[in-house]
Amino acid sequence: MKEKFFEKILLLCALSAIAALFLIALFIFYEGLPLIFRIGPQNFIFSSTWAPTKGHFGILPMIVGSLEVTILALILGGTLGLACAMFLAEFAPRWSVRILKPLIELLAGIPSVVYGFIGVLVLVPLIRRTLGGPGFSVLAAGIILGIMILPTVIAISLDALNAVPLSYKEGSLAVGATRWQTLYRLTLPAAKSGIIASLILAMGRAVGETMAVIMVAGNALIIPKSPLEPVRTLTSNIALEMGYASGTHQEALFATGVVLFIIVALLNTFALFALRRKV
Amino acid sequence: MRNFIIKLAVLFPVILICFAGCRRSAKTSLTIAGSTSVQPFAELLAERYMMEHPGVEINVQGGGSSAGIRAVQNRICDIGMSSRPLTPEEQNLQQWTIALDGIVLIVHKQNPVRNITLKQLQDVFSGKIRNWQELGGPDQKITVITREEGSGTRGCFEEIVMKDVHFAADALVQDCNGAVREIVASDPAAIGYISFGLVDERVQPLTVDGITPSESTITAHIYPLARKFLFLTNGEPSTLARSFLDFVLGPEGQKTLADEGLIKVAP
């Protein structure tokens, strides 16, 4: 009897999380969809003039910008993080793992505004001096986000690598494979689902991160042709303009939220499918 | 234990409803609407006023200067806010200048350019002039920094400088005066505009058409990028509106505005 009761309570708690998601989605769509249909979804998504107070609502540069920044962050943070996880799992001495892992996880505890601040004061002037351009750029945002997703990639990949049964490795080593061969021919494929999960979570953080990106990306309304050009992401667009927005302008920001929501949902769905097919 | 949880579950919504019902009903209220440039300052003033006068509720809404003027003409709001001068047809409203503001163009300390004309400004911010050489500076691409859509400072800059010309799409966009100043202080190629009160020694202010932005040139309306922040009423203000206006034009209100970087109109 008591068992059943607590089961129900837990079910209720679990459902409330889903209810929260559902309500948020409902609200965003309710506020944003009317504008999208008034001006036409293709005009909203494929036009590149954004001047909401003058009646131009085109968010193509921001969609492209969001994707570019996210992909760059995944390339930088993903490779670096995966390499780090592989080192910690296979080659680093036990005692150093015990020190390094908590230190890396500490990266996740640094507030994003601090990353942005360091980016503005150090990274942006560095890019401006060495590579040219205004410094506020896709590259700056990608690097900052790449560092921000490191703890997610490393922690989850490391857990996945460590979860591969010892007997697999023993078998591989017994037939004469080196540690490196064992790692990339056996351990990595065996830990694949966990590694992909870590990249999905990292991607979620990169798409959703706002504060640090606003500070280093420059927020210009162009489709960047080179990594040195400034860029505005979907999240930055909402955060930048919500302070003053009212009426249609506010609706346009909610509509931006709708697109962001759909993009994140699509990315997650693709990732899940990829995961299911290959494992 | 179980009873306790059930009681809690039943009580929780009841408590919620109670809280919702207990929202303080204001006996007296004032509605202010209009310019988005004045809005943040009006909100701050309203907050201070409400702190001193419990029971009074002041609603501040945006919508733009013209909307504010129309609203006060139609008596939809008690006080209208405008950051542009009234047209001759609008002169039937009573107006109070609550503060003055100037928009100052700033460049990096090392930049040799000291003056810019209004026409050049338009060309720079629309992307027609792209190199400092055309303005008498070094051979360097100009980094243009503007404010985000909807910002009052941007709106005023658009009205006076840009007119119907669009900002260059590749201009950097920052969401506050401080961020614009920070970039200009560190980038030798940058130009941006910020509120008069926020200029400091880390950046170089430009003269516009040869006129230095200063308290005296802004007060005398010689500096071209100066503007008045107006409060408007339709006929005599009500007692409450009168009291709020007295507060705004009094020492405390004026000090609040000066602290936010505006120029006082009363000592």
Side-chain angles (χ1 to χ4, degrees), chain B residues 138-160:
Chain B
D139 180 16
Q140 197 167 31
K141 195 175 174 292
I142 302 176
T143 307
V144 177
I145 305 159
T146 183
R147 289 287 305 282
E148 78 282 16
E149 183 96 5
S151 141
T153 314
R154 176 188 167 122
C156 180
F157 188 85
E158 265 180 322
E159 215 166 279
I160 299 172

Side-chain angles (χ1 to χ4, degrees), chain A residues 115-264:
Chain A
Y115 282 102
F117 195 52
I118 296 172
V120 169
L121 292 185
V122 182
L123 188 62
V124 167
L126 188 74
I127 292 176
R128 182 163 57 223
R129 274 199 310 273
T130 53
L131 301 171
F136 294 87
S137 54
V138 179
L139 183 64
I143 292 175
I144 292 286
L145 281 180
I147 297 171
M148 291 178 76
I149 63 173
L150 277 180
T152 315
V153 176
I154 295 173
I156 300 173
S157 305
L158 186 58
D159 286 345
L161 289 172
N162 282 337
V164 175
L166 204 60
S167 56
Y168 287 24
K169 282 183 230 171
E170 282 166 350
S172 165
L173 293 170
V175 296
T178 62
R179 281 178 95 172
W180 168 245
Q181 284 170 333
T182 308
L183 175 61
Y184 88 99
R185 298 289 282 271
L186 186 144
T187 318
L188 271 188
K192 194 156 136 203
S193 63
I195 290 169
I196 293 179
S198 82
L199 293 176
I200 295 170
L201 283 175
M203 186 176 63
R205 170 139 208 212
V207 173
E209 176 51 42
T210 314
M211 196 62 220
V213 176
I214 287 186
M215 293 172 80
V216 301
N219 310 316
L221 289 165
I222 48 169
I223 298 175
K225 287 175 213 72
S226 104
L228 295 177
E229 287 185 3
V231 67
R232 183 185 293 197
T233 63
L234 290 163
T235 49
S236 317
N237 188 45
I238 299 174
L240 267 179
E241 298 187 355
M242 68 177 182
Y244 297 104
S246 56
T248 18
H249 190 180
Q250 195 174 341
E251 280 182 66
L253 295 186
F254 270 111
T256 312
V258 170
V259 174
L260 189 61
F261 193 95
I262 293 173
I263 288 178
V264 172

Side-chain angles (χ1 to χ4, degrees), chain A residues 261-278:
Chain A
F261 193 95
I262 293 173
I263 288 178
V264 172
L266 279 180
L267 286 177
N268 277 320
T269 316
F270 284 141
L272 278 178
F273 270 118
L275 207 69
R276 218 172 278 158
R277 216 178 35 214
K278 287 192 186 128

